[in-house]
């Protein structure tokens, strides 16, 4: 059973805290200090819906693993590519991974900045004259062993364009929306992407300085998916101090080396079935690798 804080009185999701506490979680150590946790909550237990949740959990100071980003593209490629997260896991030589950023379906490549070891593979795409979209307002950065979630300036919106180019980190993955910042839920715009239920992928840093990578399956009666409001609440229950959304929908995939179905452990929705075979090609991923 996961250890969660007590439900907050009168919170609209208080009953869901109880459901999480009572849920049966399966645990497996997939690398030194890295635990895979999985729960299938049925009978409309969580948010009055069925949910299938997978979590990767490790201390940031776990010196037996390293963290990084891997891209379908490499510097100098003339043609952009999309490949499944399971193939990105193999490319990185990693033990576990989840899908990364939003990407262009036709022209391929990431829609937002991906920097690997100081080399920018994709730059954030801006629409001139329009406010910065929510999924361009946060980033995961990796500096040696330090994994951080960062955000665009909030006090001066005019400085948001190009904010990610100023991040002093060799590894950058711009993504969003930002869900939790310094322990508080971040207000979200009211729109279908945020308010409707979809498969979701997220990353967070907990109060105890753990890295959590999470997928919640969706678009199926056995796993209905989460709104971003529900996802933010769930991440706070996992004691996330800072949390950010990654690409979801048919992209949401978690892979673990050595598991069946090319390592795919969640139920990706691209084939409209509740199985492990609906993996979608993506632009990049965040991984955990044994040292």
């Amino acid at each position: 059973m996961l250890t969660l804080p007590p439900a907050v009185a009168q919170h609209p999701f208080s009953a869901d805290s109880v459901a999480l506490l009572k849920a049966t979680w399966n645990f497996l150590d997939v690398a030194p200090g890295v635990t895979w946790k999985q729960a299938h909550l049925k009978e409309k237990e969580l948010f009055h819906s069925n949910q299938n949740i997978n979590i990767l959990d490790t201390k940031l100071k776990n010196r037996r693993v390293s963290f990084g980003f891997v891209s379908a593209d490499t510097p100098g490629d003339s043609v952009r590519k999309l490949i499944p997260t399971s193939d990105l896991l193999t490319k990185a030589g990693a033990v576990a991974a989840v899908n990364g950023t939003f990407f262009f379906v036709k022209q391929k490549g990431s829609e937002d900045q991906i920097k690997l070891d100081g080399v920018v593979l994709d730059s954030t795409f801006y629409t001139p004259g329009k406010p910065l979209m929510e999924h361009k307002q946060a980033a995961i950065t990796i500096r040696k062993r330090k994994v951080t979630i960062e955000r665009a300036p909030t006090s001066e919106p005019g400085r948001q364009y190009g904010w990610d180019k100023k991040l002093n980190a060799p590894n950058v993955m711009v993504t969003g929306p930002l869900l939790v910042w310094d322990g508080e839920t971040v207000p979200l715009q009211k729109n279908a992407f945020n308010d409707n239920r979809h498969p979701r992928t997220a990353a967070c840093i907990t109060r105890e300085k753990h890295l959590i990578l999470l997928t919640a399956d969706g678009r199926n009666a056995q796993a209905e998916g989460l709104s971003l409001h529900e996802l933010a609440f769930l991440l706070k229950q996992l004691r996330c101090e800072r949390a950010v959304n990654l690409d979801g929908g048919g992209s949401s995939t978690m892979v673990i080396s050595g598991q069946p179905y090319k390592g795919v452990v969640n139920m990706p929705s691209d084939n409209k079935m509740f199985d492990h075979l609906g993996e979608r090609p993506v632009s990049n991923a965040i991984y955990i690798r044994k040292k």
Side-chain angles (χ1 to χ4, degrees), residues 64-81:
R64 293 171 291 181
V65 299
S66 60
F67 311 107
F69 307 131
V70 57
S71 174
D73 297 316
T74 55
D77 282 350
S78 58
V79 179
R80 313 303 264 167
K81 301 187 294 294

Side-chain angles (χ1 to χ4, degrees), residues 65-239:
V65 299
S66 60
F67 311 107
F69 307 131
V70 57
S71 174
D73 297 316
T74 55
D77 282 350
S78 58
V79 179
R80 313 303 264 167
K81 301 187 294 294
L82 300 175
I83 63 176
T85 305
S86 56
D87 290 340
L88 289 169
L89 177 88
T90 302
K91 181 177 180 178
V95 68
V98 297
N99 65 287
T101 63
F102 298 82
F103 55 87
F104 296 106
V105 175
K106 292 184 178 180
Q107 66 192 67
K108 304 180 174 57
S110 175
E111 189 172 338
D112 300 314
Q113 185 189 153
I114 288 292
K115 186 198 292 187
L116 303 181
D117 297 326
V119 178
V120 176
L121 295 181
D122 291 292
S123 298
T124 302
F125 177 80
Y126 299 109
T127 304
K130 292 189 176 182
L132 193 62
M133 297 177 68
E134 285 180 300
H135 70 78
K136 303 177 185 291
Q137 296 182 24
I140 304 169
T141 58
I142 303 176
R143 300 170 178 87
K144 294 184 179 179
R145 300 200 50 76
K146 186 177 182 181
V147 182
T148 309
I149 293 174
E150 308 192 42
R151 71 187 304 183
T154 56
S155 57
E156 301 179 60
R159 293 178 53 203
Q160 290 188 337
Y161 272 68
W163 74 277
D164 52 314
K165 295 180 181 179
K166 302 173 184 177
L167 291 171
N168 183 25
N171 297 282
V172 176
M173 176 181 283
V174 173
T175 186
L178 188 67
L179 300 175
V180 180
W181 183 257
D182 292 347
E184 298 297 325
T185 303
V186 177
L188 296 170
Q189 296 174 8
K190 185 172 181 56
N191 55 47
F193 178 83
N194 295 342
D195 299 341
N196 294 347
R197 285 178 172 160
H198 298 285
R200 304 288 187 178
T201 305
C204 96
I205 307 297
T206 71
R207 300 176 198 173
E208 295 76 21
K209 305 305 179 187
H210 281 228
L211 172 67
I212 285 179
L213 302 175
L214 178 148
T215 61
D217 295 322
R219 299 178 180 169
N220 190 279
Q222 297 189 62
E224 298 175 40
L226 299 174
S227 71
L228 286 190
H229 310 283
E230 293 166 339
L231 178 59
F233 177 82
L234 171 60
L235 292 165
K236 284 196 68 176
Q237 298 306 293
L238 297 173
R239 301 180 65 81

Side-chain angles (χ1 to χ4, degrees), residues 8 14 40 53 67 72 75 100 118 128 133 140-141 198 208 221 240 264 290:
V8 179
S14 291
H40 190 188
I53 299 169
F67 311 107
M133 297 177 68
I140 304 169
T141 58
H198 298 285
E208 295 76 21
C240 293
V264 177
K290 292 180 184 178

